[in-house]
Amino acid sequence: MRAAKKKTTRQLYQTAKRPLLLVNLKISESRLKSIIDARRQPKPFDEESKVAEKYASMSVEDRAFAILYDLGLIENNVDPRDPNYDHSSDDEICEHSNTPRD
């Protein structure tokens, strides 16, 4: 009998029965794993308590952002004023842009 290979997080995501809706798949394995863990339901009571405790001390706005980020529904944007920001592809047009072209 052949031993089964352990699947990577990305392979698990791609073979899921109900795949996650992630627009940008250029994310790290650790970020993808944290998104999958955040979306896994039902959670044990002790884990639910930890999550509730984490969000309880936040303002409503920060809590909303943190929940959406943890679920993978939004991502942090890079600040273009950051000295380490790469401007090399700023003039490229996004394929899914809804802005009218001349």
Side-chain angles (χ1 to χ4, degrees):
M1 186 178 273
R2 208 167 84 179
K5 288 184 180 178
K6 184 177 179 183
K7 290 187 176 184
T8 65
T9 307
R10 195 164 301 275
Q11 288 170 330
L12 290 173
Y13 162 74
Q14 291 168 343
T15 59
K17 290 180 182 174
R18 293 189 299 168
L20 305 175
L21 298 175
L22 298 174
V23 176
N24 183 3
L25 293 178
K26 295 179 181 178
I27 57 177
S28 69
E29 290 289 325
S30 62
R31 173 80 174 116
L32 186 58
K33 183 180 180 325
S34 70
I35 291 170
I36 291 171
D37 290 343
R39 292 185 179 194
R40 186 168 291 129
Q41 293 291 330
K43 295 188 185 321
F45 180 75
D46 59 332
E47 192 175 333
E48 284 283 345
S49 299
K50 288 178 187 176
V51 171
E53 208 174 285
K54 172 185 172 183
Y55 297 128
S57 62
M58 298 179 184
S59 69
V60 175
E61 294 86 2
D62 290 342
R63 186 180 315 140
F65 178 84
I67 291 170
L68 291 173
Y69 181 78
D70 290 348
L71 293 174
L73 299 174
I74 60 174
E75 292 294 326
N76 283 326
N77 289 329
V78 180
D79 184 0
R81 295 173 293 192
D82 184 350
N84 297 323
Y85 179 77
D86 179 15
H87 295 279
S88 63
S89 61
D90 283 356
D91 60 345
E92 294 179 11
I93 298 175
C94 177
E95 293 177 22
H96 303 289
S97 177
N98 292 329
T99 55
R101 296 183 189 181
D102 295 331

